[in-house]
Amino acid sequence: DEIDDPGPIPAEMLEIPGFIGRLMEYTMSQAPYPNPYMSFCGALSMLATLMSRKACDHMNTRTNLYILGLAEPGAGKDMPRKINRKIMYELGEKTGDINCKSVIVDKFGSAEGIEDGLKAYPIRLWQCDEITTLIDDMKKGGDGQSSKMAGILMQMFTTSDGMYTGRLLAHAEGQKVIHAPCLTVFGTAPPGRYYNSLTEGMLTNGFFSRQLIIEDMTHRKANFNISRDTEIPKDIMDEAKAWWNLSV
């Protein structure tokens, strides 16, 4: 049966009052080409990271979101990533927590790298630009690193409310066990390239269903009142600090 195109995401669905709304507003004020859809993805991934291992619903669902922002080149995909890095860096400066500055990862070299990174610290935000490169490699199949990474991503997603048991290590080291790993992924890609890279297997093996896909529907419009390098508003940093320091 044919499925009707539901059309673009209504703009009002991006309007979440509080931390997300304020962070979106700040992100767009810093961007030469403000993009509410990509700013929404960035703000959502930031809050998900700050709330990691601290919040869940009645089904014990955690905040390890896999968010994918689809936009054409030059549409403002990079600014939300820069703002997220800036928040975590300043949070590290304010709290003295050295983990803050290493929470955000731009690249994992391998499936073992994802596992080892979460073993070292169980909260990570992977801001993956051009995520279609990973998907294209996955289509090749076999035992390549990209195929292994896809498997690790799906396992991390489903074990966020329990224990992840990693690969068996040699000698006395035993197996890596990670309690409630919280990996949030904020990936970006051009929409046409992303959809063309998907295969039937990806649509049915659970990889696609784990993703929250937000497609850019804005018209490119320059911000002539840009004020770069302004400090992150105090209310945003105060709330970020409160979530990060929350004890459970």
Side-chain angles (χ1 to χ4, degrees):
D1 294 334
E2 291 187 3
I3 300 176
D4 293 333
D5 185 348
I9 298 174
E12 58 268 21
M13 293 187 69
L14 304 178
E15 298 173 2
I16 301 180
F19 181 86
I20 290 179
R22 294 194 300 273
L23 183 51
M24 285 178 62
E25 183 178 0
Y26 172 69
T27 301
M28 289 191 290
S29 76
Q30 300 298 293
Y33 291 94
N35 189 314
Y37 292 90
M38 297 304 104
S39 297
F40 175 79
C41 292
L44 193 60
S45 66
M46 186 75 268
L47 184 59
T49 302
L50 294 169
M51 295 172 65
S52 292
R53 309 173 88 228
K54 301 179 179 73
C56 64
D57 64 11
H58 67 288
M59 295 291 290
N60 208 18
T61 306
R62 304 304 178 98
T63 65
N64 55 315
L65 302 177
Y66 287 3
I67 304 168
L68 182 59
L70 301 179
E72 297 296 344
K77 297 191 291 292
D78 193 46
M79 185 55 66
R81 292 193 292 263
K82 290 180 177 178
I83 297 298
N84 285 350
R85 284 194 293 268
K86 187 175 181 180
I87 289 175
M88 293 309 300
Y89 182 86
E90 291 194 14
L91 200 56
E93 291 289 297
K94 291 178 180 296
T95 64
D97 186 347
I98 61 174
N99 292 308
C100 291
K101 297 179 182 180
S102 62
V103 160
I104 295 182
V105 181
D106 292 327
K107 183 180 293 185
F108 282 110
S110 64
E112 292 80 7
I114 296 176
E115 191 176 283
D116 292 344
L118 285 162
K119 175 61 178 175
Y121 193 69
I123 300 172
R124 299 286 176 178
L125 169 55
W126 183 10
Q127 298 194 139
C128 181
D129 190 20
E130 296 299 337
I131 199 169
T132 48
T133 301
L134 172 65
I135 297 174
D136 287 339
D137 288 342
M138 287 165 49
K139 287 193 294 187
K140 299 174 184 177
D143 295 325
Q145 283 294 343
S146 295
S147 296
K148 292 180 182 178
M149 289 177 75
I152 286 286
L153 288 174
M154 289 192 283
Q155 290 178 52
M156 289 297 179
F157 191 91
T158 55
T159 58
S160 63
D161 61 348
M163 294 282 189
Y164 171 85
T165 303
R167 65 193 188 280
L168 182 63
L169 300 177
H171 307 301
E173 292 183 73
Q175 286 180 294
K176 294 176 179 288
V177 177
I178 308 171
H179 171 65
C182 200
L183 172 64
T184 295
V185 179
F186 172 26
T188 54
R193 186 177 174 191
Y194 171 75
Y195 291 126
N196 289 331
S197 69
L198 295 175
T199 66
E200 182 178 351
M202 292 177 188
L203 296 174
T204 57
N205 69 359
F207 180 77
F208 185 86
S209 63
R210 285 167 169 77
Q211 301 174 46
L212 176 62
I213 301 174
I214 307 293
E215 187 170 344
D216 171 31
M217 295 295 177
T218 59
H219 296 291
R220 186 176 169 91
K221 190 175 182 180
N223 176 15
F224 295 107
N225 298 315
I226 190 170
S227 53
R228 285 289 188 93
D229 297 325
T230 60
E231 290 188 6
I232 297 175
K234 184 177 182 299
D235 57 348
I236 291 177
M237 288 307 305
D238 285 347
E239 190 164 348
K241 182 179 177 181
W243 271 112
W244 188 258
N245 290 337
L246 181 66
S247 299
V248 293

